[in-house]
Amino acid sequence: MAGAVDSLTTLWSMAAQDAALRLSPHQLRALRILEAAPGLNLTALAQRLDIGPPTASRLCDRLEAAGLLEREPHPHRRREVRLRPSTHGRRVLAEVAELRTRALASALAAMAPGDRAAMRRGLASFLLAGEAAPRSGPD
């Protein structure tokens, strides 16, 4: 199982590196988080990335300099800035998603139909088990 996860992770990473604009895994993850939750502030983004606010601020500076991120003042809190992917940032994310989809489709096409069906059933079962498993929090 660990080998399969490693292989998928490698496939996922390599496909992202084929994009016209290469992003680090942290940059890509930050943009994906902001695409899913546009308008987050820097502190919320740092928490979701599990990094400190100064590191998140530098990350956002680089994304903004590349034209991938926009900062806008919060309409009700003068000191707060909202973050969201720019139009260019959303295009880059779409390109990465398309490249990843193609890479995954290619790998799946190389499998025998019975193996794909077994994998589909196994992954569905895995997802259900993960949803049912109790979550352990920090002690």
Side-chain angles (χ1 to χ4, degrees):
M1 179 70 109
V5 170
D6 285 344
S7 180
L8 179 59
T9 302
T10 299
L11 178 128
W12 217 238
S13 296
M14 288 175 54
Q17 293 307 306
D18 287 339
L21 180 62
R22 288 186 178 184
L23 299 175
S24 75
H26 285 298
Q27 290 172 323
L28 189 56
R29 187 165 173 239
L31 281 177
R32 290 184 67 227
I33 288 169
L34 293 171
E35 181 181 45
L40 287 179
N41 65 23
L42 187 67
T43 302
L45 177 62
Q47 289 171 342
R48 290 188 186 196
L49 289 169
D50 197 27
I51 60 176
T55 304
S57 181
R58 289 188 299 273
L59 176 65
C60 288
D61 289 345
R62 288 189 298 275
L63 289 170
E64 185 178 35
L68 301 169
L69 176 79
E70 295 176 349
R71 292 178 166 144
E72 58 188 27
H74 191 285
H76 306 296
R77 295 183 215 129
R78 291 183 309 168
R79 298 176 126 195
E80 189 172 321
V81 175
R82 298 162 96 182
L83 307 168
R84 65 185 175 90
S86 66
T87 301
H88 180 52
R90 288 189 304 276
R91 277 196 303 265
V92 169
L93 287 172
E95 179 188 7
V96 168
E98 175 62 26
L99 289 167
R100 286 176 166 175
T101 297
R102 279 193 232 148
L104 186 56
S106 177
L108 291 171
M111 295 173 64
D115 291 340
R116 281 194 304 272
M119 187 172 108
R120 186 178 314 114
R121 286 190 308 275
L123 288 174
S125 179
F126 180 79
L127 288 172
L128 287 173
E131 291 169 2
R135 304 270 185 233
S136 61
D139 293 331

